[in-house]
Amino acid sequence: RRAMAFPTTSREVMAYAKDNLVITLGVLIAIIALFPVVVPLAVLAFVGRHALKNTAPAAQTTVTTTTTVSTTVEPVREVAKPVETTLQPAAASEPAAPVALTGSAALMAKMRKSSATSGEKRVVSASAERSTTSARTTTSASGGDEDANADGRVFILHGGEAAREIAKELARGASQAVGASVRVLQMDDFRDVKFDQEPCVVIFVVETVENAQPAEAAGTCLRWFNRKRKEGTNGELLRGKMSYAVLGLGDTNLLLDRQTTTAKDCNQAAQTLDSALAQLGANRIVARGEANDAVGLDEAVEPWSKALFPELAKANKALEDKKNAKMCFLYGSQTGNAAEICKNLAAEAAEKGYPVQVCSMNEVEPDDVVKPGAVITFIVSSTGDGDAPDNCDTFFTRLKRKAKKEAGSGGHAVQYAVLGLGDQNYSAFMAVPRAFTQIMENMGAKAFAKRGECDDTLGLYEQVDTWTTSFWPKLAAAQTNADRLRAGETIEEEDKEVVAAKVEPEVPAKAEQSKLEGVPPLAICRSEVAWLEKGVKYEAGAITPGPDESGAYTVASPYMASICEHRLLTNPESDRRVLHVAFDLGSSGIAYKPGDSIGIIPQNSSDLTHRLVSALAYDGEKAFTLNWKSDSDGGEKATHPLPHIKTPCTVIDAFQKYVDITSCPRKSLVRVLAEHCADDAEKTTLLHLSSRGGKADYDTQIRGESASLMTLLKRFPSCKPPLAELLDALPPLAPRLYSITCAPEVAPTTPSVAFSVVKYQIAGGEEQLGVATNWLDALTATPAPVPVYIKPSLKFGLPEDASAPLIMIGPGTGVAPFRGFLQSRREAAKLGVTLGEAILFFGCRKRDEDFLYDSDWDGFVADGTLSKFVCAFSRETSEKVYVQHKLREHIDDVAKLIANGAYIMVCGDGVGMAKDVHAALVEILVEKRIFDVADAKAAEATLAAFTKSGRYVRDIWS
């Protein structure tokens, strides 16, 4: 038999078939027999290959898997994980026709296409970028989910395989469409949501499988909520805590009864969950979605997701508003009283179980605290001419802008209370607290308590105690109503009187402490110290010299001036040391006018600082910085912790430059010191001094003896408070204001001041030194730059009409600004301006001891700038004579000027002198029947009207 060649042409095939009929017949029979098997297998292989290709992520050309598939799988080459293989599409000479996708594969492809081709351009916030990143999925063989550490409170929980894929796509859509930070979890991990602790938004994607059962991954979650529903007592379990939506996935092909074919029939798990959540008080944000895989999931899921995203955006915004709406205690404090009271109230509120934020107003932005649902207590004082305190002026200005921009709406669902502190000796008594009330009302906020107005001259803390008695139940009612107001409900007046019951925890006390009455709660410490390693170089924090961005020199951005003149105004043998000091402002361009003050930012005594640090057992040379405590909501602060402390700095610098270590310790500081006494007896004594029951002893032993922090550390040596707690408890080292004693026409770039160098002894012989005056006195021996700024006066100054009569009253250093007044009047007279009659009343001890600027007064009288100069020498006669006595002595001159429209300017001590002068003016008005004043009441009304119009202005200090 000849060798047979394999046929290669059709002619050879036909010849071969004829020659081999038996073989040909056998092949034909085999083909016919195998056709029903081979063709379906080939079709399935073709469809499967294209389905895998189309469901792969768009950015990839291959899909990694651990499965070996058919003959199209080739070994992986040059990949990081050798255990994986790569699916490659089979080579084809002609492009294959696309195969239609079904079920979740079609839905995924459509959702990706919609996202990729929508053409929308969005400005994505930082939080949205984080959430987009967290929503990207890296699917491994084990099927892990997204990063569960995303910081948002929006969750998508899935139960089932298809549910998982759809949840991931929903997370991508939510991140891109609404900027929500989204976390994707299995439903079995539902407790990780912590819905019972923090408000949240949850999207449930749940599958129903055979026998109308939930998918295995959804079972635990669904049964838990359903069980809570059946208990019948949990109708408020999720109210105000969870907003939700449910998407059900099912397949009617899995039903036993094939006659039912709607999506509703195959989504029993979703229906059960939706019903349970609603009955537990959760807030449904969109109607339940139900998809049937038998007809295509995309028919239901795609329109449902489009309806979901806008509502999800609203729910997320409401969630952020609620998260940011806190019970805030905000203070504006110049002398420390408002800060002390505010911190005490906040500590008591925290002890009652409220989540509390407490800080100076400049530490936050108005937009961060004035939010729907917020409950805010403002504790603020007025200063000088009605200015806001330094640590709340920026907030005050921005709040006014917000009120103007968002009139009637900026305070929606915000509740507030104002406690004002002041001194009725000042012309602008309660100006700032009343302004806060007006601003909040203009924005549409609602007061939950009547504004308190506490006058320091009538007993500040006693009035505060009276106000807080009614404050606490109203605060409780406000907190209860916060969620209702945020939801748009109207709270009736009677609802505001509802007192929310609160069980206050009992703090176990030692036997000797149990007798203590009214020990205040420990103030909240908001910061923590981060120590810098020795040898590490750092840029030390420091006062930032001006000008600021607007070109101004302020308390935050002062001018670094030099002292250009320094002279003693009193007799060197006197126990009083009054200095005249001038500052060189150089080419700064700083302007001032008579009546303005110059602010000095001083430092504490170096010797005292080192002794204090030694007593506290701190390492004075160790450097540190301050951070917000981990449990403090520092992310919403406008500043770093304790912004008056410029960190990083050394411990010595912190106490010498930034905190007040010489003033009388307030009760909140005493309470902190008590907490850190190692000796029980010392602790009990300090707790008593800080308590309500120890008020008399506190007044005697601390306030009455002018004790300082150093005094207490000597008396209670076991007291060693941590640095962070002590710095938080100490008030900032406040700038000192001194009246300018010259006119810009005479000294345009060298304003001067006059002040007494303060030194006195306290109990035990310890000498106390005034901070700024002694610092400035010492600087004359060692010249150094002095941080200064100008504090303009709004009302205290020369009348615009130079021809108006003028009465000036200023004993001691209170006469300083009137020297500037008269210098300015003299220069105006040189220009031909007609001057009105002017009288100056001055007081001092003796002519040869402390007669300040005596030659100047003689000159002003001589050239007609000053009509009359009257001096009260209190120690030259057997009976002491003060300026109020001289007013009565010159009653006719004073009465004539007042009747002719005189401006009355008073400067000096506000404790005694200002009250006595005021009483003398009342007597003069009544006795001389000026403006038909018949009695003291009418005289008080007249002076009040003068104050309002600016004709009676007092620049006084305590």
Side-chain angles (χ1 to χ4, degrees):
R1 179 176 296 183
R2 63 183 177 87
M4 180 178 63
F6 192 81
T8 58
T9 67
S10 57
R11 187 182 298 276
E12 290 176 346
V13 169
M14 293 300 294
Y16 181 83
K18 289 180 181 180
D19 294 340
N20 300 276
L21 288 175
V22 176
I23 295 175
T24 300
L25 184 59
V27 170
L28 290 174
I29 293 172
I31 290 173
I32 293 171
L34 293 175
F35 183 86
V37 177
V38 173
V39 172
L41 288 175
V43 172
L44 285 175
F46 181 85
V47 172
R49 184 163 62 250
H50 280 270
L52 286 171
K53 179 177 70 176
N54 289 336
T55 56
Q60 298 177 349
T61 58
T62 62
V63 179
T64 60
T65 180
T66 56
T67 308
T68 303
V69 182
S70 187
T71 58
T72 62
V73 178
E74 298 178 0
V76 176
R77 293 174 175 83
E78 299 179 356
V79 293
K81 296 181 180 180
V83 296
E84 295 179 343
T85 57
T86 305
L87 291 176
Q88 299 281 5
S93 58
E94 296 180 2
V99 178
L101 304 180
T102 61
S104 59
L107 177 62
M108 297 302 105
K110 184 175 291 187
M111 292 179 75
R112 287 196 188 90
K113 181 179 180 182
S114 174
S115 176
T117 62
S118 63
E120 295 183 27
K121 295 181 179 180
R122 300 183 178 89
V123 179
V124 183
S125 66
S127 61
E129 291 175 0
R130 289 195 303 269
S131 64
T132 302
T133 302
S134 68
R136 293 193 183 105
T137 307
T138 305
T139 306
S140 66
S142 60
D145 280 336
E146 288 82 348
D147 179 12
N149 293 320
D151 58 0
R153 293 294 297 159
V154 178
F155 300 84
I156 300 182
L157 271 57
H158 57 80
E161 288 302 316
R164 176 187 176 192
E165 297 303 318
I166 291 174
K168 292 174 183 176
E169 293 303 321
L170 288 175
R172 291 187 178 96
S175 298
Q176 295 170 1
V178 301
S181 180
V182 178
R183 295 172 60 184
V184 180
L185 303 172
Q186 290 189 12
M187 285 180 66
D188 277 353
D189 298 325
F190 73 101
R191 294 183 186 276
D192 291 346
V193 174
K194 298 180 181 178
F195 53 84
D196 56 337
Q197 299 178 23
E198 297 180 66
C200 58
V201 180
V202 186
I203 310 303
F204 294 90
V205 185
V206 55
E207 285 187 51
T208 301
V209 294
E210 293 88 348
N211 301 322
Q213 294 297 309
E216 183 178 355
T220 301
C221 173
L222 192 151
R223 285 189 292 272
W224 190 89
F225 284 114
N226 201 32
R227 184 172 65 253
K228 291 294 181 182
R229 175 189 65 82
K230 290 180 179 179
E231 289 175 3
T233 58
N234 298 306
E236 300 294 314
L237 180 68
L238 302 179
R239 190 173 305 280
K241 297 178 181 178
M242 180 189 290
S243 295
Y244 79 98
V246 174
L247 173 62
L249 307 179
D251 188 340
T252 51
N253 289 325
L254 301 177
L255 298 175
L256 296 177
D257 181 5
R258 297 300 181 88
Q259 299 301 316
T260 55
T261 58
T262 66
K264 183 177 181 180
D265 297 320
C266 59
N267 275 291
Q268 290 87 342
Q271 295 161 18
T272 300
L273 178 61
D274 185 31
S275 175
L277 294 171
Q279 293 185 50
L280 292 174
N283 173 48
R284 184 190 295 116
I285 63 174
V286 68
R288 180 178 66 250
E290 295 177 340
N292 181 4
D293 199 21
V295 297
L297 297 177
D298 57 322
E299 289 190 10
V301 175
E302 190 172 4
W304 183 83
S305 64
K306 289 181 179 179
L308 169 71
F309 291 149
E311 299 305 317
L312 181 62
K314 294 177 185 178
N316 184 61
K317 183 180 184 302
L319 190 68
E320 291 300 313
D321 288 344
K322 186 169 185 177
K323 181 178 70 173
N324 295 333
K326 307 171 185 69
M327 180 177 286
C328 298
F329 288 82
L330 306 178
Y331 60 84
S333 181
Q334 194 69 28
T335 63
N337 284 326
E340 165 84 356
I341 293 165
C342 188
K343 290 179 179 180
N344 286 343
L345 289 179
E348 190 168 348
E351 192 174 66
K352 292 176 182 292
Y354 297 115
V356 168
Q357 176 184 4
V358 56
C359 55
S360 68
M361 295 186 208
N362 279 359
E363 291 182 74
V364 293
E365 294 287 350
D367 287 343
D368 290 335
V369 292
V370 183
K371 287 178 170 288
V375 178
I376 309 172
T377 301
F378 298 104
I379 301 177
V380 62
S381 61
S382 289
T383 64
D385 295 317
D387 299 331
D390 290 339
N391 60 4
C392 98
D393 54 358
T394 302
F395 179 92
F396 186 50
T397 300
R398 292 174 180 173
L399 187 67
K400 287 189 285 187
R401 290 176 187 164
K402 180 179 176 71
K404 185 176 181 180
K405 182 179 178 181
E406 303 174 16
S409 62
H412 168 67
V414 174
Q415 300 173 89
Y416 76 97
V418 174
L419 176 60
L421 311 181
D423 185 328
Q424 64 180 349
N425 286 318
Y426 288 91
S427 57
F429 178 63
M430 290 295 159
V432 175
R434 292 169 185 172
F436 266 94
T437 298
Q438 190 61 55
I439 291 169
M440 296 301 290
E441 290 295 320
N442 290 345
M443 285 197 294
K446 300 299 180 185
F448 68 83
K450 184 178 179 181
R451 182 179 65 247
E453 295 190 348
C454 302
D455 184 357
D456 195 24
T457 64
L458 302 177
L460 188 67
Y461 285 89
E462 290 77 9
Q463 294 176 78
V464 170
D465 288 342
T466 301
W467 183 79
T468 54
T469 300
S470 61
F471 168 76
W472 290 117
K474 292 178 180 178
L475 179 71
Q479 184 72 358
T480 301
N481 292 331
D483 287 344
R484 296 170 60 189
L485 285 171
R486 189 189 297 110
E489 294 185 36
T490 300
I491 306 299
E492 300 296 333
E493 190 66 26
E494 56 267 25
D495 288 342
K496 294 184 179 180
E497 301 301 327
V498 173
V499 179
K502 282 207 173 281
V503 179
E504 298 184 16
E506 293 186 3
V507 180
K510 294 184 178 181
E512 63 272 18
Q513 295 181 11
S514 61
K515 299 177 182 178
L516 297 173
E517 177 188 347
V519 175
L522 190 64
I524 301 167
C525 180
R526 305 160 296 153
S527 60
E528 57 189 8
V529 169
W531 295 105
L532 303 182
E533 293 185 9
K534 286 192 174 182
V536 174
K537 292 184 178 180
Y538 64 92
E539 184 177 351
I543 294 173
T544 305
D548 60 15
E549 294 178 353
S550 64
Y553 293 91
T554 66
V555 63
S557 303
Y559 179 76
M560 306 305 288
S562 60
I563 294 176
C564 59
E565 184 183 3
H566 172 277
R567 59 188 170 95
L568 184 64
L569 296 178
T570 51
N571 190 321
E573 296 181 359
S574 173
D575 61 350
R576 295 192 67 194
R577 180 175 173 82
V578 179
L579 297 177
H580 170 93
V581 175
F583 302 93
D584 188 353
L585 303 182
S587 59
S588 64
I590 296 175
Y592 68 94
K593 65 184 186 300
D596 288 351
S597 299
I598 189 165
I600 309 292
I601 302 175
Q603 294 182 14
N604 289 307
S605 158
S606 176
D607 175 65
L608 174 62
T609 302
H610 281 81
R611 286 190 289 117
L612 181 71
V613 170
S614 176
L616 290 164
Y618 296 153
D619 182 347
E621 300 306 316
K622 200 167 184 180
F624 70 96
T625 188
L626 291 169
N627 299 320
W628 292 111
K629 271 192 173 181
S630 56
D631 57 351
S632 174
D633 194 4
E636 291 187 0
K637 304 293 192 304
T639 65
H640 65 278
L642 308 182
H644 56 281
I645 301 176
K646 312 299 181 184
T647 58
C649 67
T650 64
V651 173
I652 286 290
D653 281 347
F655 284 100
Q656 184 170 356
K657 298 178 180 178
Y658 304 127
V659 293
D660 184 350
I661 60 175
T662 61
S663 62
C664 182
R666 299 177 185 274
K667 284 193 172 185
S668 59
L669 174 57
V670 176
R671 177 67 180 86
V672 170
L673 297 178
E675 193 70 15
H676 299 288
C677 282
D679 182 87
D680 286 345
E682 292 182 5
K683 180 173 185 176
T684 301
T685 301
L686 284 171
L687 285 174
H688 170 68
L689 290 171
S690 73
S691 70
R692 187 170 56 252
K695 180 181 183 303
D697 288 334
Y698 171 83
D699 290 340
T700 302
Q701 300 176 28
I702 295 182
R703 190 184 296 277
E705 295 183 1
S706 298
S708 66
L709 174 60
M710 192 69 206
T711 308
L712 295 184
L713 291 176
K714 287 181 178 178
R715 182 178 172 188
F716 304 98
S718 76
C719 180
K720 297 290 185 290
L723 180 61
E725 277 80 349
L726 183 56
L727 291 178
D728 205 355
L730 287 169
L733 182 57
R736 269 54 171 180
L737 295 176
Y738 299 97
S739 297
I740 296 176
T741 185
C742 58
E745 296 92 339
V746 176
T749 62
T750 56
S752 56
V753 298
F755 57 83
S756 297
V757 179
V758 179
K759 293 184 181 181
Y760 58 94
Q761 283 191 341
I762 62 173
E766 181 182 348
E767 187 178 52
Q768 292 281 66
L769 306 179
V771 175
T773 57
N774 284 275
W775 180 65
L776 287 172
D777 195 8
L779 282 182
T780 58
T782 55
V786 180
V788 302
Y789 63 98
I790 298 298
K791 181 74 171 179
S793 172
L794 301 180
K795 293 185 178 180
F796 186 77
L798 282 171
E800 292 184 6
D801 181 4
S803 65
L806 181 62
I807 300 173
M808 297 167 284
I809 306 166
T813 54
V815 79
F818 298 132
R819 179 172 178 264
F821 281 28
L822 294 171
Q823 285 182 353
S824 186
R825 279 171 60 91
R826 174 186 282 166
E827 296 303 313
K830 291 179 181 179
L831 298 176
V833 176
T834 301
L835 301 180
E837 191 172 353
I839 299 179
L840 172 60
F841 291 88
F842 170 63
C844 64
R845 291 179 178 177
K846 296 180 180 180
R847 190 183 305 271
D848 60 356
E849 180 180 351
D850 56 349
F851 194 172
L852 309 181
Y853 300 115
D854 52 345
S855 61
D856 288 318
W857 314 129
D858 292 340
F860 291 134
V861 173
D863 63 20
T865 301
L866 184 63
S867 306
K868 181 179 286 189
F869 177 76
V870 179
C871 186
F873 296 106
S874 63
R875 305 292 173 89
E876 287 190 347
T877 59
S878 58
E879 293 186 6
K880 292 184 178 181
V881 179
Y882 298 111
V883 288
Q884 63 267 25
H885 301 125
K886 290 296 181 179
L887 283 170
R888 294 187 182 94
E889 184 179 318
H890 294 267
I891 186 171
D892 291 336
D893 292 332
V894 173
K896 181 188 71 171
L897 293 184
I898 294 177
N900 291 334
Y903 284 79
I904 306 170
M905 301 287 165
V906 182
C907 184
D909 167 46
V911 176
M913 182 276 297
K915 294 178 182 178
D916 293 335
V917 166
H918 183 83
L921 292 173
V922 169
E923 291 178 8
I924 292 171
L925 288 173
V926 174
E927 183 175 336
K928 292 298 183 177
R929 296 281 177 165
I930 303 173
F931 306 125
D932 296 325
V933 169
D935 54 30
K937 184 177 180 181
E940 291 285 0
T942 299
L943 290 176
F946 285 0
T947 298
K948 189 172 183 179
S949 64
R951 283 185 56 189
Y952 176 34
V953 184
R954 299 186 291 181
D955 183 12
I956 56 180
W957 56 84
S958 299

